């Protein structure tokens, strides 16, 4: 089964959106396979966003991510990477549809409250970085009510 790395950024934690965000993934039917509140240092944040090094907003992005605790999660389910991106909405909240997390709760691209892996390969790398212990091994008793 596919995994995605989902992170509630410091603004999402400060604004009290942790429960709301987790609830949206839970209600969809995805299964929580890893969860931790953590503060990351500059080197760790730069590693996570290494693909964006050189972008004009890179330093601001790193300051943002290290400005407070984040909630790091592994979610599991069929097509969870692509569907997770739909639940999150477009990078720029002005372009995010109403009903998506960013569309409902964010205004500025530099305060867009949540991260989600953009491909199965990115998810694999991000989970290895954030969860060296790997996913928690459990099976939801709802499985046969969610999957045919
Ligand atoms: P994502 O995959 O939708 O999160 O978007 P990207 O991978 O392209 O960018 C990572 C993060 O960098 C975004 O979620 C934003 O927080 C930030 N970011 C992206 N583009 C911009 C920008 O043009 N300006 C600023 N300030 N931040 C940006
Ligand atoms: Mg991205």
């Amino acid at each position: 089964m596919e995994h995605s790395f989902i992170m509630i950024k410091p603004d999402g934690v400060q604004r009290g959106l942790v429960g709301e965000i987790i609830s949206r993934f839970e209600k969809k039917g995805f299964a929580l396979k890893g969860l931790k509140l953590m503060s990351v240092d500059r080197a760790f944040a730069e590693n996570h966003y290494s693909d964006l090094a050189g972008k004009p907003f890179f330093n601001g992005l790193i300051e943002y991510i290290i400005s407070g605790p984040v909630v790091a999660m592994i979610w599991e389910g069929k097509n969870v990477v692509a569907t997770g991106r739909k639940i999150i909405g477009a990078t720029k909240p002005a372009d995010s549809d109403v009903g998506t997390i960013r569309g409902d709760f964010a205004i500025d691209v530099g305060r867009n409250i949540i991260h989600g892996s953009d491909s199965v390969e990115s998810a694999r790398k991000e989970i290895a970085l954030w969860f060296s212990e790997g996913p928690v091994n459990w099976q939801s008793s709802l499985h046969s009510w969610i999957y045919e």
Side-chain angles (χ1 to χ4, degrees), residues 9 49 52 57 61 64 85 91 102 109-110 112 114-116:
K9 295 175 177 178
Y49 279 122
L52 298 174
F57 56 84
L61 172 61
Y64 165 42
R85 296 279 294 189
T91 302
R102 287 168 174 165
V109 66
N112 63 359
I114 183 168
H115 165 85

Side-chain angles (χ1 to χ4, degrees), residues 7-12 14 38-49 52 55-70 109-112 130:
M7 178 205 13
I8 306 173
K9 295 175 177 178
D11 47 343
Q14 292 286 352
M38 56 196 288
S39 294
V40 299
D41 64 17
R42 184 174 302 275
F44 190 96
E46 286 176 355
N47 190 358
H48 172 75
Y49 279 122
L52 298 174
K55 296 278 187 194
F57 56 84
F58 185 71
N59 284 339
L61 172 61
I62 299 306
E63 291 293 340
Y64 165 42
I65 296 304
I66 68 175
S67 65
V70 300
V109 66
R111 296 290 184 271
N112 63 359
W130 289 80

Side-chain angles (χ1 to χ4, degrees), residues 134-145:
V136 174
N137 183 24
W138 71 288
Q139 179 77 257
S140 167
S141 60
L142 295 178
H143 196 272
S144 63
W145 296 106

Side-chain angles (χ1 to χ4, degrees), residues 73-92:
M73 295 177 281
I74 302 170
W75 285 93
E76 182 184 274
K78 192 191 280 185
N79 297 321
V80 65
V81 170
T83 305
R85 296 279 294 189
K86 287 186 193 165
I87 291 171
I88 289 170
T91 302
K92 293 188 170 86

